[in-house]
Amino acid sequence: MTKLCAAPTEQALCLDTPLNTTTAKWQLLPGIDPNIIYEARYGVEITPLINGQAAFTALEQAILNAKDSIDIICWGFDPSLRLSGPKGQYRFGELLEKKARDKVEVRVLIWYSHTADWVWEFKEESLPDYDKLSGGYDNNAGKHIRQLDHYFRQGPVVSRHQRQLEAAFKRYQDAAKQWRETPSDQTRAVMENRQAAFETLYNQAYTEYDGTPFLQWEDRLFNEAWYRRYAQAGTGYKNLWFTTRDIKNFNAVMDMTEESGAPFEGFIQEQLGKYFATHHQKMVLIDYLKPKTALGFVMGHNMQKNYFDDDKHHFHSQKRYQGFRPWQDISTRVRGPVLVDLNHNFSRAWDKELPWDLWANQGSKIGSYRDYLTKEAFEPNQWRSEKTDSRTAFDCAMAQIIRTEYTDQDKSILRSYENALNNVTDYVYSENQYFRYKPFADQLIELAAKRKAKGAKDLYWFVVTNKPNSDGEGTNTYQMLKALGQGERLPQLDLETVQQMEDLEREIADYENKQANSRFQLWSDRYAEQADQAKAALAAMKAEHPEDAEKLERKRGEAIKDNLDVEDPKAAFELQNNVGLNVHIATLATCTRNPPPGYPTLYTSIYVHSKLLLVDDVYFLLGSCNINKRSMELDTELAIATPTPALAKHTRQHLWGAHAEKVKGSSFFNYQYWDELMSDNWASRYRGNPLTGFLVHFYDPDCEVAAPND
């Protein structure tokens, strides 16, 4: 029986008792949909690993315990990363070499684009210090690094950007102290400018040197030597193979977009999608041929230093690597029959890449010799005695590996999202790096309206994401926000049509003024004609965009508000929920706690890299997939999905407890609490006070109108 809360009058469902738990309605069926490749598996164990410290610690332990094989696929890889933190015993590359010496077969497959590397605007640093233009190794890298180090300071030191950061911090402190002692518009402006300069440097994840994040010179030299051994025929250990992969069939990628609900916005976006798709999967498979101890990782984390953080996300943290900002991400450790599908995904990708690689790796082919193992070998009775920590490992009656993969035309991630959103009866929680796939918004809006028409209770969508990284990314984000009644969170894009109307009004006034003052009838008639044309254009625009026409009258002449211009966020933006659907869009931020007397509170964003979907405290989906067209249709992605109430509820309570410090008993009350908390944090930032938790309003007054690029 459904447990109902005593209040509010909407009878919001308490989140103590899950609804909608019928397993069959959540799974995808390969035999019915040709775009589904892997079937649902039964008897699976999933352990959520929230933030880098938990994920990397579990990964390091699994690698240390490996007895037969270690298979890695990732977008980003740094051999100098220490999985247990900056003071850890082993660099990642050293750990893999250690296992190779122990006769464990190690295979590492990392994305790298030959195409993108030639275009600076699309240069990605998935492999720090791996020189793409020279074919995998820069013979001058060591000399270049030593010259930089000698120039800035002798011995192992932080990068020039780190020193610039320290200097910017000191300038900001001085300006803030001056403003507090002699408050004025001028001293406040100086303080805000220096604060912005400091926070810009603080939020930069990469330096100007090869995009390498604040790496010590000895780490860079280690990477150089490591890649030399394994990216070319060299002196690597017998059992360790490393190779890269790129997209090779652009037409197959474009076939994935047929019948898309989110068509390309223009030529630029289409070409970027076709020629600059990426291999974005993140997975690890340990000891596959030993089913009793075999386990896997389905990950959101890349294997790089900036991904290491904990739940506390301190502004200054000794646990993070030096120079990196706070980072939010989630991965999973898995056991059971889903390992069959992880092996299939890895082995086919590995063998497909080797013909493009150097001859030295040919001996590492997996071929079909692993195929003799079937799902029966991984049934729970085969490994139950080896179960991990029961406090965090969850037994899942059913789970399914899902992908975006152009070779097989696998669209199971997209299908899983569509199916999950169609099944929602209470809430959706999206914690995702991006929020820019409008068909999902349209689907939930339609479902909520139908439910409301039948007298069903409201739905809730809680979203935690990032502000757009660039103006081109803001365009697609804005389309999704506008559909949800949240367009004013990106005011420059929201007011684009309004500003065009204002421009037309100014044109009309200018033509009419010229007509009135013209001494010649010919020119007077010409100005009148131009005024009439502008009036017709304005009338057509108002008819096509009635909401913007109404907004023109309300906001005529108003300036866009910055976060520090007003104490109440309602004075900066107005939101309008759709019928039956209540939406919160948040991002995460942290601040300094208990600064010394006279020192101001400093703030910075927490970068959200998570790729999580929760529905109704029942459904859990986690992997490498973002909420954007790339992840749903173009890039290769990997995730795991399961209707397991205990796992979904545990994950929600853990995350909301960390982000908001409190978790209420129903979606209705959580929605109210989030609204109050984000407004209070807005006011706290305005006053220079510490934040409560991490939740802050998604609002970016600086994102400008631009052609979509993602």
Side-chain angles (χ1 to χ4, degrees), residues 20-40:
N20 215 9
T21 56
T22 304
T23 299
K25 71 190 302 180
W26 298 96
Q27 74 182 60
L28 305 177
L29 301 175
I32 296 176
D33 188 336
N35 297 123
I36 309 302
I37 305 302
Y38 297 139
E39 64 185 66

Side-chain angles (χ1 to χ4, degrees), residues 132-310:
K132 296 92 171 173
L133 297 180
S134 63
Y137 170 68
D138 180 2
N139 293 300
N140 295 317
K143 179 180 179 181
H144 176 60
I145 295 165
R146 293 186 184 93
Q147 287 175 340
L148 290 175
D149 180 66
H150 178 76
Y151 180 78
F152 294 121
R153 198 188 300 170
Q154 296 295 324
V157 295
V158 297
S159 71
R160 178 168 65 92
H161 273 228
Q162 181 69 10
R163 299 185 65 177
Q164 288 177 337
L165 182 70
E166 294 167 356
F169 181 42
K170 180 64 167 59
R171 288 194 297 271
Y172 169 62
Q173 288 180 322
D174 293 342
K177 183 177 180 182
Q178 184 177 4
W179 175 68
R180 291 183 183 278
E181 293 174 350
T182 57
S184 68
D185 292 343
Q186 181 178 1
T187 56
R188 175 177 173 172
V190 171
M191 179 196 70
E192 290 178 351
N193 288 337
R194 292 187 178 179
Q195 178 180 359
F198 165 75
E199 291 182 350
T200 296
L201 279 173
Y202 187 84
N203 287 325
Q204 286 177 343
Y206 301 101
T207 73
E208 65 188 67
Y209 297 113
D210 302 324
T212 305
F214 298 128
L215 290 190
Q216 301 282 347
W217 71 272
E218 65 267 30
D219 281 350
R220 301 196 65 184
L221 293 176
F222 174 83
N223 285 352
E224 171 193 345
W226 198 92
Y227 289 130
R228 184 194 307 177
R229 290 196 293 273
Y230 302 111
Q232 293 184 345
T235 58
Y237 293 102
K238 178 180 179 181
N239 297 313
L240 198 161
W241 298 279
F242 169 90
T243 190
T244 62
R245 64 172 178 164
D246 193 8
I247 303 295
K248 297 181 175 65
N249 190 334
F250 300 127
N251 291 330
V253 171
M254 295 306 289
D255 289 342
M256 293 282 287
T257 68
E258 290 183 1
E259 302 178 359
S260 171
F264 291 110
E265 292 292 320
F267 178 78
I268 294 177
Q269 189 190 24
E270 182 176 358
Q271 295 305 300
L272 291 176
K274 181 176 182 178
Y275 294 110
F276 297 98
T278 74
H279 287 295
H280 198 240
Q281 295 181 344
K282 304 165 182 65
M283 61 153 284
V284 180
L285 184 60
I286 305 289
D287 287 349
Y288 180 72
L289 294 180
K290 295 181 177 295
K292 186 174 182 179
T293 56
L295 56 86
F297 292 81
V298 178
M299 306 184 71
H301 292 84
N302 286 302
M303 298 168 188
Q304 294 180 317
K305 293 183 175 69
N306 45 322
Y307 291 79
F308 193 95
D309 201 1
D310 61 12

Side-chain angles (χ1 to χ4, degrees), residues 104-124:
V104 175
E105 292 188 349
V106 180
R107 297 173 178 84
V108 182
L109 181 58
I110 308 297
W111 174 76
Y112 149 59
S113 172
H114 296 267
T115 307
D117 190 58
W118 287 93
V119 183
W120 176 257
E121 288 81 358
F122 310 119
K123 192 180 185 73
E124 296 278 14

Side-chain angles (χ1 to χ4, degrees), residues 508-525:
I508 292 169
D510 182 55
Y511 289 139
E512 289 178 341
N513 181 60
K514 288 179 178 179
Q515 179 189 9
N517 294 304
S518 176
R519 298 180 181 180
F520 302 101
Q521 186 63 39
L522 179 63
W523 285 107
S524 178
D525 292 343

Side-chain angles (χ1 to χ4, degrees), residues 21 34 56 104 129 241 322 369 384 397 436 565 583 599 623 682:
T21 56
F56 288 162
V104 175
D129 297 311
W241 298 279
Q322 193 170 38
Y369 78 86
R384 184 66 71 191
R436 56 178 76 122
D565 290 335
V583 181
Y599 281 70
W682 179 293

Side-chain angles (χ1 to χ4, degrees), residues 432 598 697:
N432 202 284
H697 275 294

Side-chain angles (χ1 to χ4, degrees), residues 192-454:
E192 290 178 351
N193 288 337
R194 292 187 178 179
Q195 178 180 359
F198 165 75
E199 291 182 350
T200 296
L201 279 173
Y202 187 84
N203 287 325
Q204 286 177 343
Y206 301 101
T207 73
E208 65 188 67
Y209 297 113
D210 302 324
T212 305
F214 298 128
L215 290 190
Q216 301 282 347
W217 71 272
E218 65 267 30
D219 281 350
R220 301 196 65 184
L221 293 176
F222 174 83
N223 285 352
E224 171 193 345
W226 198 92
Y227 289 130
R228 184 194 307 177
R229 290 196 293 273
Y230 302 111
Q232 293 184 345
T235 58
Y237 293 102
K238 178 180 179 181
N239 297 313
L240 198 161
W241 298 279
F242 169 90
T243 190
T244 62
R245 64 172 178 164
D246 193 8
I247 303 295
K248 297 181 175 65
N249 190 334
F250 300 127
N251 291 330
V253 171
M254 295 306 289
D255 289 342
M256 293 282 287
T257 68
E258 290 183 1
E259 302 178 359
S260 171
F264 291 110
E265 292 292 320
F267 178 78
I268 294 177
Q269 189 190 24
E270 182 176 358
Q271 295 305 300
L272 291 176
K274 181 176 182 178
Y275 294 110
F276 297 98
T278 74
H279 287 295
H280 198 240
Q281 295 181 344
K282 304 165 182 65
M283 61 153 284
V284 180
L285 184 60
I286 305 289
D287 287 349
Y288 180 72
L289 294 180
K290 295 181 177 295
K292 186 174 182 179
T293 56
L295 56 86
F297 292 81
V298 178
M299 306 184 71
H301 292 84
N302 286 302
M303 298 168 188
Q304 294 180 317
K305 293 183 175 69
N306 45 322
Y307 291 79
F308 193 95
D309 201 1
D310 61 12
D311 285 358
K312 295 181 179 179
H313 297 309
H314 288 307
F315 189 97
H316 297 297
S317 174
Q318 296 300 315
K319 293 184 178 180
R320 286 199 303 272
Y321 284 85
Q322 193 170 38
F324 292 109
R325 74 198 213 191
W327 203 274
Q328 173 72 20
D329 210 344
I330 311 172
S331 292
T332 62
R333 180 178 57 215
V334 300
R335 304 184 71 185
V338 293
L339 299 185
V340 173
D341 303 318
L342 291 183
N343 172 67
H344 179 273
N345 180 75
F346 177 84
S347 61
R348 298 309 183 269
W350 180 261
D351 287 355
K352 184 173 69 174
E353 294 303 319
L354 289 184
W356 296 80
D357 197 18
L358 297 170
W359 63 269
N361 280 339
Q362 296 305 301
S364 70
K365 278 193 173 183
I366 300 172
S368 60
Y369 78 86
R370 288 185 176 183
D371 289 349
Y372 76 89
L373 284 177
T374 64
K375 63 181 181 180
E376 285 73 24
F378 296 92
E379 295 295 336
N381 62 338
Q382 300 296 321
W383 49 265
R384 184 66 71 191
S385 61
E386 304 292 330
K387 185 172 181 179
T388 49
D389 189 346
S390 60
R391 293 172 298 175
T392 56
F394 292 87
D395 293 327
C396 305
M398 182 274 283
Q400 194 162 14
I401 296 297
I402 53 178
R403 301 185 303 171
T404 303
E405 214 288 330
Y406 66 90
T407 302
D408 297 324
Q409 294 293 293
D410 189 340
K411 301 180 184 179
S412 49
I413 288 177
L414 174 59
R415 297 288 188 267
S416 295
Y417 261 82
E418 292 170 339
N419 189 54
L421 295 180
N422 191 55
N423 287 333
V424 62
T425 61
D426 181 33
Y427 82 88
V428 176
Y429 178 56
S430 304
E431 183 172 304
N432 202 284
Q433 183 178 7
Y434 302 132
F435 189 65
R436 56 178 76 122
Y437 195 72
K438 185 172 175 289
F440 294 158
D442 295 336
Q443 181 181 349
L444 212 50
I445 290 168
E446 182 180 357
L447 175 64
K450 289 180 179 178
R451 287 172 48 84
K452 196 69 173 179
K454 296 178 180 179

